[in-house]
Amino acid sequence: MAEFTVTSVIDGDTFDVSPDWKWNGQTGSRVRPTGYDAPELHAVGGQAAKDKLSGLILGKKVVLGTAHTIDRGRLVCDVFFNGRNLADYFPDFK
């Protein structure tokens, strides 16, 4: 597991990190955490989910754990913040 800094938050369940991740011969900055599915920005609760994620991790360090796949350029993986799975911070979206 490696530590990364969150550089931007796209929506409630997608963000960018630095440095770029590397997995299965591919690299990128976009991450999609496993374990929860926040509403899209245009849907009810979407902006609130983005705001919550931004307040929680923007500019902070996260640990990228087990990777599962790459979906639309995003590394889909387990993400940990302050020793907890990021999904635990979003129980309404599990």
Side-chain angles (χ1 to χ4, degrees):
M1 294 198 293
E3 193 172 75
F4 296 81
T5 300
V6 177
T7 58
S8 65
V9 173
I10 309 309
D11 60 22
D13 55 19
T14 305
F15 57 88
D16 289 323
V17 296
S18 178
D20 284 358
W21 49 258
K22 295 174 179 58
W23 187 71
N24 277 0
Q26 297 186 52
T27 62
S29 63
R30 195 140 295 175
V31 175
R32 169 65 164 87
T34 60
Y36 76 102
D37 187 21
E40 298 303 318
L41 280 176
H42 64 274
V44 173
Q47 186 63 50
K50 178 182 178 179
D51 293 346
K52 180 177 179 177
L53 186 61
S54 293
L56 190 64
I57 65 172
L58 184 59
K60 299 185 178 141
K61 302 251 186 231
V62 295
V63 173
L64 302 186
T66 302
H68 301 278
T69 190
I70 294 175
D71 176 46
R72 294 175 278 168
R74 305 173 302 176
L75 181 67
V76 179
C77 64
D78 301 332
V79 177
F80 299 90
F81 175 67
N82 284 340
R84 291 177 57 197
N85 190 305
L86 191 59
D88 292 343
Y89 292 91
F90 294 89
D92 294 341
F93 303 133
K94 286 187 175 186

